[in-house]
Amino acid sequence: MDLKLLVFWVFSLVLIGAAVGVITTRNPVQAALFLVLAFFNSAIIWMLMEAEFLAITLVLVYVGAVMVLFLFVVMMLDINLLPMREGYSKHLPWGAAIVVAVVVQIVLLMRVKWAGSGIEQPAPKPADYSNTEELGLAIYTDYLFQFEVAAVILLVAIIAAIALTMRRRPDTKYQRPHEQVKVQKADRLRVVSMNSEDNQDLTGKVAKAPAADAAAGNSGVSNQGAKS
């Protein structure tokens, strides 16, 4: 067996196992780790297909940024898994039907390729061939409208994610900058006039002197001794 074909089958089987682990595990952190493994194996398969730019983009963007951020968000959020498990059996037939349809399409495509009816193996490219340049030319010339539509969809998804995170929570304290900048000195500071001779406190009552309190206490003790 050819080494390239052996590598393809090994990483394809690992990719299928990781994809199954993503949809079957009940722990969201483990599902995110399975998805990272699936991305790595997909990148290797793309490199076998001489799509180095897509492989590096998949590793740097999805694994290095998006999936790491998603993993940290999942680990920091307190996710209640009980509501997520309630509808599993109800949607299982629809999910199984979609899986069967995808598998049938893949088998038919592979059968057509093996039969040799019009689908040929692409010719190997020379050493100075740049698939990054060819991909850029195709995106910004032939598929410019589709590329702009995808950009708009991603922008809508970003706005929706920000709107979901900005929802009000009763146990969270929020700052109101528009009210903070309008605060005046009289709203936060109260100046109290104090007379040092009368020893007045903040409530305006005259405080007794310590010496007077001590004298009053001593006189009370002497009166009780005389009565006894």
Side-chain angles (χ1 to χ4, degrees):
M1 181 182 292
D2 188 9
L3 179 60
K4 184 177 180 180
L5 185 60
L6 177 62
V7 172
F8 171 78
W9 280 109
V10 169
F11 285 100
S12 298
L13 292 176
V14 176
L15 174 60
I16 294 173
V20 173
V22 171
I23 62 176
T24 55
T25 183
R26 297 184 177 182
N27 192 343
V29 178
Q30 294 178 0
L33 293 176
F34 275 122
L35 190 57
V36 170
L37 180 61
F39 282 156
F40 269 113
N41 289 273
S42 299
I44 293 173
I45 293 176
W46 279 358
M47 291 187 69
L48 292 176
M49 298 172 62
E50 298 181 0
E52 294 85 4
F53 176 77
L54 295 179
I56 298 300
T57 303
L58 183 63
V59 173
L60 294 180
V61 177
Y62 285 91
V63 178
V66 177
M67 279 310 305
V68 173
L69 178 62
F70 178 73
L71 184 60
F72 275 102
V73 170
V74 168
M75 294 176 65
M76 288 187 296
L77 292 179
D78 187 12
I79 300 177
N80 188 9
L81 300 178
L82 185 59
M84 299 173 59
R85 300 174 183 175
E86 292 177 352
Y88 180 77
S89 58
K90 182 175 66 175
H91 300 290
L92 183 60
W94 291 101
I98 294 174
V99 170
V100 171
V102 172
V103 170
V104 169
Q105 292 177 0
I106 293 175
V107 170
L108 291 177
L109 180 62
M110 294 176 66
R111 223 174 130 190
V112 169
K113 181 177 180 179
W114 289 342
S117 58
I119 301 179
E120 299 179 357
Q121 186 73 16
K125 303 297 187 298
D128 58 348
Y129 176 78
S130 176
N131 54 10
T132 305
E133 181 181 358
E134 295 295 331
L135 182 62
L137 290 175
I139 288 178
Y140 291 103
T141 54
D142 299 332
Y143 301 99
L144 180 60
F145 178 73
Q146 293 84 346
F147 181 75
E148 295 294 336
V149 170
V152 172
I153 294 175
L154 290 176
L155 178 61
V156 172
I158 293 173
I159 295 174
I162 296 174
L164 289 176
T165 56
M166 293 298 292
R167 64 182 184 274
R168 291 287 177 178
R169 298 179 180 177
D171 56 345
T172 304
K173 296 181 180 180
Y174 297 94
Q175 292 185 351
R176 299 178 176 87
H178 62 282
E179 296 181 2
Q180 293 175 355
V181 297
K182 296 179 182 178
V183 173
Q184 302 295 328
K185 182 178 67 175
D187 299 334
R188 299 295 178 89
L189 181 64
R190 182 166 63 94
V191 180
V192 179
S193 178
M194 299 181 61
N195 191 355
S196 59
E197 295 180 357
D198 297 336
N199 293 327
Q200 294 180 349
D201 58 1
L202 294 178
T203 58
K205 297 180 180 180
V206 178
K208 295 181 180 180
D213 294 340
N218 294 332
S219 62
V221 173
S222 61
N223 292 333
Q224 289 181 359
K227 291 180 180 179
S228 61

